[in-house]
Every structure is written in structure tokens, then in C-alpha cells.
Amino acid sequence: MEEGHPQETCLRISQLLSRVGDKWVILVIRALQPEAKRFNALKREIGDISQKMLSATLRNLERDGFVRRTVTPVTPPMVEYALTDLGRELLCPVQALADWTASNADRIEAARAAYDSRGEDGAAATAA
Amino acid sequence: MEEGHPQETCLRISQLLSRVGDKWVILVIRALQPEAKRFNALKREIGDISQKMLSATLRNLERDGFVRRTVTPVTPPMVEYALTDLGRELLCPVQALADWTASNADRIEAARAAYDSRGEDGAAATAA
DNA sequence: CAGAATCCAGCCGGATACTG
DNA sequence: CAGTATCCGGCTGGATTCTG
């Protein structure tokens, strides 16, 4: 790891993290992990997602090279989405972060509860 | 890892990823990594950040237990921010993701370039 | 110095309607 | 089936102003 342009590197990392945290990507790549899926199958499986967000998410993931879109020109048209090698590789560090989150969710929640109770407590005694 | 509530787990992960991708957190925790810093020192070091965003980012990080805020009641008041143990632990999987990003940034950019050229090419030949 | 409050522009994400 | 187009509310994030 060279340290020539740390700011730029931070920017890239931040951007990728924003993408990965984009609210639907985790669900989408999780749904694509076992096997390729079609658009509406994906939509049904995820459930709450609107088709606008699903197509936007898939387009972003495809653009970044994490998902491959395959069109079979039959009628009605069939489109399949699958993770690429890059997408599967991305999953490793993301999975590590996911595992860490799952392991420490209670610590985070405890910190939040402590923070919130501190806030409501000594300070705003005049209000409410 | 139990698989009892995968959706909830995904939600937590996604939320944490959103926080971590929050545009300034990487810069902030990076600045705090070597040592505790004061508010304006942090602001100067990061540079582009507005004080609103810096205080909001710090507040979120403090609430989640990643940063500890220490007030020394002198005049003028001195406030120091430092990473907690939890914050330093979080850095490990984040660093892994950062390393992956740095290692694969060129592959992502190549995918984007390919995608963009595909888009401009065969399709919208009528326009422009 | 360390923030809180306010105002405001722009983007995100959802609902709906329409197309090939 | 697999999308695109449009409208619209809400949140994000920045600039400015004010406070202790």
C-alpha cells in the first residue's frame, strides 16, 4: 500500500462504501449470491423494493462490474442478472464487515441507548 | 452465525454501511486514528468539511460508540475526540474493504468505462 | 474555541403511469 | 416480462448567522 494520495484513496473507499450501503445493494447481491435471477423474481424475493430502485441498483452494480446482465431475446424478453467474479470477490470484505456488525450489534445498541439516555436526562429537564 | 432473521441482519449491515459511507466518517476516523484531536484541529485537517457536518458526523459516531467526546471545562472550552476500542475494532473490517477497494479500483474503473462506452455506442445513434 | 440554529439547493427514493 | 418516464415528498449536506 503506497501512501501517495491518501485523500483520493479515502474518496474512492467512501464512494464504494456509499454504493454498497445504498440501501438495496446488500439485499440484491444477497439474492444473487446463490444463483442468477430474473428481474421480477428478484423483485418478488426482495419484496419492498420498487422497480425503479431495483433497476437503478442493478444498473449501478452492472456499471461497476459487480453484476452481469444477460438478455435473451425471446418473447416475452428474458433478462437474467448474475454476480460477476468481481462481485463475488467484493462479497468477501463485505461479508467480513457484515460478520463484525452482527457480532457487535449489541455493543452498538448499548452505546446508542447510553447516549440517548444521557441526552434526555441531565440536560433538557426544563422541557417536557 | 445463526440464520434466524437474515432480513434484519441485512438491514443492520446496510445501516452500518450507510453510516460508514456517510461521506465524512472515513476522513474523520482516519484523522482520529493516530491520536485524539480537538474540534477545530479536526476541521482544519479535513479541510473541506463544514462545521455542521463535522459535528453531526462526530455526534453520530459518538452515539454509535465509535468515538468518545471529552470536555475539559476551561475557558475557552476544550473538547477532544478519540476513537474508542469499538471504533478501533470497526476499523479492521473497514480497512479490509479499503484495501480491497484500493487493489481493485482499476477493475471497477475499467468496468465503468466499458459500460459507458457501450451505452453511448450502439443504442442512441439517432440522437445527437 | 466549540458548537447550535436557520435557510436553502440538490439528490434520493417511492408511487404511478406508460412502453416494447 | 422488463423496464422507462414523470411527479413529488423528504432527507442530506452546505453557507451563513448566532451563542456560551
Side-chain angles (χ1 to χ4, degrees):
Chain A
M1 298 303 152
E2 77 275 13
E3 291 290 331
H5 300 283
Q7 312 301 38
E8 272 186 40
T9 303
C10 279
L11 192 59
R12 291 177 186 288
I13 296 163
S14 197
Q15 286 173 348
L16 184 66
L17 281 169
S18 288
R19 284 269 166 257
V20 174
D22 243 359
K23 184 181 189 182
W24 294 113
V25 295
I26 295 288
L27 279 306
V28 170
I29 64 177
R30 194 188 156 85
L32 289 177
Q33 201 169 3
E35 56 182 347
K37 301 257 172 73
R38 300 179 58 171
F39 187 89
N40 278 325
L42 226 36
K43 178 157 165 39
R44 265 189 304 275
E45 187 172 336
I46 297 177
D48 282 340
I49 193 171
S50 67
Q51 93 299 47
K52 173 187 175 180
M53 280 302 105
L54 181 55
S55 68
T57 301
L58 287 168
R59 210 180 310 127
N60 285 330
L61 289 175
E62 189 196 358
R63 189 171 113 92
D64 288 349
F66 300 132
V67 160
R68 177 168 25 248
R69 179 173 180 269
T70 308
V71 184
T72 307
V74 296
T75 49
M78 184 176 94
V79 182
E80 274 202 338
Y81 294 90
L83 290 181
T84 62
D85 291 340
L86 192 63
R88 265 182 291 274
E89 290 176 39
L90 172 65
L91 234 47
C92 295
V94 169
Q95 190 62 43
L97 191 50
D99 291 346
W100 187 92
T101 306
S103 302
N104 294 281
D106 53 345
R107 289 215 274 167
I108 296 173
E109 277 192 56
R112 286 182 185 174
Y115 181 93
D116 292 347
S117 63
R118 275 202 303 275
E120 296 161 7
D121 207 37
T126 54
Chain B
M1 300 301 153
E2 78 274 12
E3 291 289 329
H5 300 283
Q7 311 302 39
E8 273 186 41
T9 303
C10 280
L11 192 59
R12 291 178 187 289
I13 296 163
S14 196
Q15 286 172 347
L16 183 66
L17 282 169
S18 288
R19 285 269 167 257
V20 175
D22 243 0
K23 183 178 189 183
W24 294 113
V25 295
I26 295 288
L27 278 307
V28 170
I29 63 177
R30 193 187 156 88
L32 290 178
Q33 201 168 5
E35 56 183 348
K37 301 255 172 74
R38 300 177 58 170
F39 188 88
N40 278 325
L42 226 35
K43 179 156 163 40
R44 266 189 302 275
E45 186 173 336
I46 297 177
D48 282 339
I49 194 171
S50 68
Q51 114 311 42
K52 174 187 175 182
M53 279 303 105
L54 180 55
S55 69
T57 301
L58 287 168
R59 209 181 310 128
N60 285 330
L61 290 175
E62 188 196 357
R63 188 171 113 94
D64 288 349
F66 300 132
V67 161
R68 176 169 24 250
R69 179 173 178 272
T70 308
V71 184
T72 307
V74 296
T75 48
M78 183 177 94
V79 181
E80 274 202 337
Y81 294 91
L83 289 181
T84 62
D85 291 340
L86 192 63
R88 266 183 291 274
E89 290 175 38
L90 172 64
L91 234 48
C92 294
V94 168
Q95 189 62 43
L97 192 49
D99 291 346
W100 187 91
T101 306
S103 302
N104 294 280
D106 53 344
R107 289 214 274 167
I108 296 174
E109 276 192 57
R112 286 182 185 174
Y115 182 92
D116 291 347
S117 63
R118 274 204 303 276
E120 296 161 8
D121 206 37
T126 55

